[in-house]
């Protein structure tokens, strides 16, 4: 079986005193992926841990989870920012939705402008509340964050290894030398004339 590691959610802030945690979902199938008894191997600041899902609930479009191993707010706070990752069967996922892709599959793909010229290489995806950002290393080694929305990233072709982008004007343009700011050695105020 060819597996693919998929980030299901990122743990948010604790909710209450008994270890319940808010979840920032990264899946469009939370009911399937977050079933009672699901086990997650996670890395924390104190080392690796296993978390066994006791249950989930929804409140005002937010998801909350409780884990067998987390029983108080202090322990819950130590998990903030931890990703919950599951290994899924890549072939089953492709059959279910042939046009779907996962952020981990984008790393290393070539980014091409809709006109065909190369913009750079995908370094990863950063998740933010408003939208995800595609992190691109440009051909001149700069780091550019491109909002991962259909209007700006109209196509992801995993078979050819190409992400097609239609960025707003100027996003991938290098700054002119006079707009980059002063060089470190010239950033001090000018010396005063001696009297």
């Amino acid at each position: 079986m060819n597996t693919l590691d998929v980030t299901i959610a990122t743990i948010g802030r604790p909710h209450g005193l008994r270890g319940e945690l808010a979840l920032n979902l990264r899946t469009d199938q939370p009911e399937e992926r977050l079933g009672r008894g699901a086990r997650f191997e996670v890395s924390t600041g104190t080392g690796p841990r296993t978390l066994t899902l006791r249950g989930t609930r929804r409140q005002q479009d937010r998801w909350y989870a409780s884990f067998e191993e987390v029983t108080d707010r202090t322990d819950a706070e130590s998990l903030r920012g931890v990703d919950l990752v599951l290994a899924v069967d890549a072939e089953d996922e492709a059959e279910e939705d042939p046009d779907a892709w996962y952020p981990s599959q984008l790393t290393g793909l070539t980014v091409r402008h809709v006109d065909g010229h190369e913009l750079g290489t995908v370094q990863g995806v950063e998740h933010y509340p408003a939208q995800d950002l595609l992190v691109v290393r440009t051909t001149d080694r700069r780091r550019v964050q491109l909002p991962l929305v259909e209007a700006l990233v109209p196509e992801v072709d995993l078979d050819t290894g190409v992400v097609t982008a239609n960025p707003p004007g100027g996003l991938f343009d290098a700054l002119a030398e006079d707009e980059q700011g002063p060089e470190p050695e010239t950033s001090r105020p000018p010396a005063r004339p001696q009297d």
Side-chain angles (χ1 to χ4, degrees):
M1 177 171 78
N2 184 16
T3 62
L4 180 66
D5 287 340
V6 176
T7 302
I8 305 304
T10 301
I11 295 176
R13 66 176 191 252
H15 187 77
L17 301 175
R18 297 191 178 162
E20 187 176 49
L21 292 146
L23 296 179
N24 298 313
L25 295 181
R26 302 278 181 247
T27 180
D28 56 357
Q29 302 170 329
E31 292 86 359
E32 292 176 29
R33 310 270 196 214
L34 293 170
R36 182 181 178 93
R39 294 173 56 93
F40 299 93
E41 301 297 326
V42 300
S43 296
T44 68
T46 58
R49 286 183 71 173
T50 299
L51 298 177
T52 308
L53 192 62
R54 181 184 311 140
T56 60
R57 69 180 180 88
R58 288 178 65 180
Q59 180 180 342
Q60 298 177 349
D61 295 327
R62 293 275 321 196
W63 280 75
Y64 297 91
S66 57
F67 298 94
E68 300 290 342
E69 300 81 3
V70 183
T71 58
D72 62 49
R73 186 176 182 92
T74 302
D75 193 17
E77 184 65 46
S78 73
L79 296 170
R80 194 172 190 170
V82 169
D83 287 333
L84 300 177
V85 178
L86 282 178
V88 299
D89 185 319
E91 292 174 12
D92 287 348
E93 294 294 306
E95 285 177 18
E96 189 172 310
D97 187 354
D99 295 327
W101 46 264
Y102 295 98
S104 61
Q105 293 175 296
L106 300 182
T107 302
L109 297 185
T110 300
V111 180
R112 291 197 183 281
H113 193 278
V114 290
D115 68 10
H117 77 274
E118 186 174 334
L119 295 171
T121 305
V122 177
Q123 299 295 298
V125 177
E126 293 180 354
H127 305 285
Y128 292 95
Q131 66 196 14
D132 293 337
L133 297 175
L134 192 66
V135 179
V136 179
R137 178 69 61 195
T138 65
T139 54
D140 61 354
R141 308 295 301 149
R142 289 178 297 113
R143 182 179 188 269
V144 173
Q145 294 176 312
L146 176 65
L148 195 47
V149 295
E150 190 173 357
L152 302 180
V153 182
E155 185 179 2
V156 174
D157 189 336
L158 296 177
D159 293 332
T160 62
V162 174
V163 174
T164 303
N166 188 17
L171 184 62
F172 280 86
D173 297 339
L175 290 174
E177 198 169 308
D178 61 341
E179 295 177 21
Q180 292 180 12
E183 292 296 321
E185 59 272 2
T186 62
S187 61
R188 285 183 247 128
R192 288 191 202 171
Q194 298 291 332
D195 290 324

